[in-house]
Amino acid sequence: MGQIKAVRGTRDLLPPETELWNHIEATARRVFARYAFGEIRTPIFEDTQLFARGVGEETDIVSKEMYTWEDRARAQSEKAQMLTLRPENTAGVVRAYIEHKLGDAGLLQKLYYIGPQFRRERPQKGRYRQFYQIGAEVIGPPSAGSESPLRDAEILEMLATLLEALSITGWTLELNSVGSATDRPRYIQALREALVDLAPTLCVDCQRRAVTNPLRVLDCKVPEDQAKIDELPKIADFLDEDSRAHFAQVCAALDACGVAYTVSPRLVRGLDYYTRTTFEFTHGGLGAQNALLGGGRYDGLSEAIGGPKAPGIGFAMGTDRLVLTLQAQQVALGESSAALLADAYIAPLGEAQQAESLVLARELRRAGLRVELGDGTFRLKKSFEMGNKLARRIVLFGEQEAVSGMVTVKDFQTGEQTKVPRGELAKMLGAQ
Ligand code: AMP
């Protein structure tokens, strides 16, 4: 029978690498808590319409990358529902905000999430079909200050702090404003006009995008197209007074707290819901998939999916890419590393000692020690070999030890062997 493997674009995360994942997630939780964010967990699958209306029908994500299926109808009269594995989490968070009337208290909601997302993309280094995001959203009624440029700057400053807490260095913050819902149509019209002549000279993808979604032409990565695309009209020239002033205030607040950024006129991002501020943090060490995280403002998203006016701003960072970056930087995790040896390996010296050796292991683990438990059918030689690979010390637990109440401990590093009363073992092994 053929071997069954993980599906293309998905992978198993194994120890010790999972220690790094836990470290990243724990650091994010700690930083988010300091900025008074609370955790939200939304379902892994949602009504397909949420993404069609929220993210946008014309986006790559919705038009070709979603895992969508028809749910079985419960009754014949019932229409089968179309469901989709979430390709991103912002739409789900905003749906929950609307569904639970979270804006009714008149306060800002500051929510973060950590979890898997799914997109049928062409897998490569740093790009998977099941990938993981850590993200946060600030959303609320305008009366709570949800449109304030201070919110944008605060989020960006939080991200700089989080990357610093993770010891990730060498990142670049690219910033832009894509304008309000009224600026964008004027810009898109100008793009369309400029593309009439230019598009036939660009790559086939751009030729298609020029018709379906001209903004996406700005994302083109084909080297020969770059100089020509740089000549296209710039969104900055189409911003109205409000958008311009908003962006200037975001920049001023970032300058005030020393968060470095570059303004990238072509940064329009792949999701249709963005308005005004958009941003991306990139990292040179990542290769082709160099975006560590991306985000922006989405002042009209709530209304697009049937909710009240609830402007918001958020970001999603790719945990997979944070892991790759940290691995490349070889950041030492110190004590929390799973590669760390156990404090002790307990070797029951016969089958009669098996049950009691589990009791001993339980005592030590309850005292806070990291303990590996052997097997009573092993010979002494094998126990020593195994113990040496897994732990700093071996605790021999045979018939004699069971009767005398003394156990024999050998330290693999010093070679020293001692007999210790069982009651003092935990302390001797370093329990606090
Ligand atoms: P997006 O939701 O497209 O704005 O992406 C936000 C971040 O998620 C990106 O900057 C990446 O770090 C990460 N990301 C997006 N798609 C993938 C993927 N297929 N595999 C791994 N990470 C991804």
Side-chain angles (χ1 to χ4, degrees):
M1 290 243 265
Q3 188 191 344
I4 297 174
K5 297 202 167 156
V7 174
R8 188 170 136 81
T10 73
R11 65 218 169 100
D12 303 305
L13 305 172
L14 306 170
E17 192 187 294
T18 36
E19 276 300 306
L20 192 48
W21 285 76
N22 287 334
H23 165 72
I24 291 170
E25 292 175 0
T27 306
R29 286 177 198 282
R30 209 175 54 240
V31 171
F32 293 155
R34 274 195 255 146
Y35 287 77
F37 280 72
E39 184 174 4
I40 181 169
R41 302 188 191 199
T42 65
I44 301 275
F45 58 90
E46 299 264 6
D47 188 319
T48 305
Q49 277 307 307
L50 174 66
F51 306 113
R53 279 162 58 190
V55 178
E57 300 266 16
E58 286 303 330
T59 59
D60 280 357
I61 294 177
V62 174
S63 64
K64 48 186 193 201
E65 293 172 358
M66 296 204 304
Y67 287 95
T68 295
W69 70 99
E70 189 182 280
D71 202 23
R72 210 179 303 163
R74 267 177 301 153
Q76 268 192 336
S77 56
E78 206 181 63
K79 202 164 159 274
Q81 193 179 13
M82 297 306 292
L83 302 176
T84 294
L85 286 182
R86 64 185 189 197
E88 59 93 63
N89 221 150
T90 301
V93 170
V94 177
R95 179 201 47 71
Y97 170 90
I98 299 166
E99 197 165 329
H100 302 286
K101 302 188 170 42
L102 298 183
D104 284 6
L107 298 173
L108 285 181
Q109 293 296 311
K110 297 162 74 175
L111 303 164
Y112 77 85
Y113 59 83
I114 295 179
Q117 318 293 337
F118 307 84
R119 295 181 196 172
R120 191 187 276 103
E121 295 194 89
R122 195 168 51 77
Q124 55 177 278
K125 187 177 176 220
R127 187 156 83 183
Y128 312 98
R129 290 181 167 181
Q130 173 168 337
F131 61 100
Y132 297 82
Q133 286 185 335
I134 297 173
E137 317 288 351
V138 179
I139 177 170
S143 60
S146 54
E147 284 180 285
S148 166
L150 197 53
R151 301 281 76 84
D152 310 39
E154 187 183 27
I155 283 257
L156 291 163
E157 188 277 323
M158 175 170 83
L159 280 166
T161 298
L162 174 53
L163 292 175
E164 191 184 328
L166 288 168
S167 306
I168 291 182
T169 51
W171 48 263
T172 307
L173 162 55
E174 296 185 28
L175 194 61
N176 194 21
S177 174
V178 294
S180 66
T182 48
D183 303 334
R184 275 226 281 191
R186 288 191 294 125
Y187 176 57
I188 291 171
Q189 185 53 32
L191 263 188
R192 273 193 203 283
E193 283 164 20
L195 281 166
V196 172
D197 288 337
L198 192 66
T201 72
L202 300 175
C203 67
V204 283
D205 279 338
C206 281
Q207 293 180 22
R208 182 179 45 81
R209 292 177 190 133
V211 182
T212 57
N213 195 350
L215 276 181
R216 299 272 73 79
V217 171
L218 305 181
D219 292 338
C220 175
K221 298 276 185 307
V222 175
E224 302 83 70
D225 289 356
Q226 299 310 303
K228 294 180 229 167
I229 293 172
D230 281 337
E231 294 302 312
L232 284 166
K234 305 253 181 316
I235 183 87
D237 299 325
F238 292 79
L239 301 187
D240 64 18
E241 261 322 294
D242 278 355
S243 298
R244 236 182 265 266
H246 193 275
F247 192 55
Q249 289 183 59
V250 175
C251 294
L254 289 177
D255 292 340
C257 59
V259 174
Y261 58 90
T262 50
V263 176
S264 300
R266 278 174 55 179
L267 182 72
V268 289
R269 316 228 345 103
L271 296 86
D272 275 358
Y273 52 58
Y274 286 117
T275 50
R276 300 204 267 199
T277 313
T278 55
F279 56 86
E280 215 163 74
F281 282 67
T282 56
H283 197 281
L286 278 170
Q289 301 302 315
N290 69 350
L292 270 181
L293 68 96
R297 200 163 250 296
Y298 44 82
D299 293 341
L301 176 56
S302 170
E303 288 148 295
I305 58 176
K309 187 166 169 58
I313 178 159
F315 66 86
M317 49 209 294
T319 319
D320 307 77
R321 297 189 190 171
L322 295 176
V323 169
L324 283 171
T325 308
L326 284 176
Q327 283 171 336
Q329 286 183 202
Q330 295 191 315
V331 170
L333 281 184
E335 286 295 303
S336 69
S337 169
L340 212 66
L341 292 173
D343 296 306
Y345 177 91
I346 298 177
L349 297 183
E351 287 183 59
Q353 278 76 49
Q354 297 228 110
E356 196 51 30
S357 66
L358 180 59
V359 176
L360 179 59
R362 177 177 151 97
E363 284 166 15
L364 299 179
R365 286 167 176 157
R366 287 187 164 210
L369 294 163
R370 183 179 175 105
V371 174
E372 293 271 12
L373 179 58
D375 190 286
T377 64
F378 292 170
R379 290 182 181 278
L380 199 57
K381 183 163 173 276
K382 182 166 176 181
S383 290
F384 267 92
E385 280 169 8
M386 300 274 259
N388 204 3
K389 284 186 192 145
L390 298 171
R392 288 199 298 254
R393 305 181 200 84
I394 187 165
V395 177
L396 301 175
F397 191 66
E399 199 176 338
Q400 211 190 337
E401 281 84 0
V403 174
S404 69
M406 301 281 280
V407 289
T408 305
V409 181
K410 181 170 177 174
D411 187 311
F412 287 117
Q413 247 159 16
T414 61
E416 210 178 303
Q417 188 163 318
T418 39
K419 276 198 184 309
V420 192
R422 184 166 162 174
E424 287 169 26
L425 182 60
K427 206 155 159 237
M428 186 252 180
L429 293 174
Q432 300 297 323

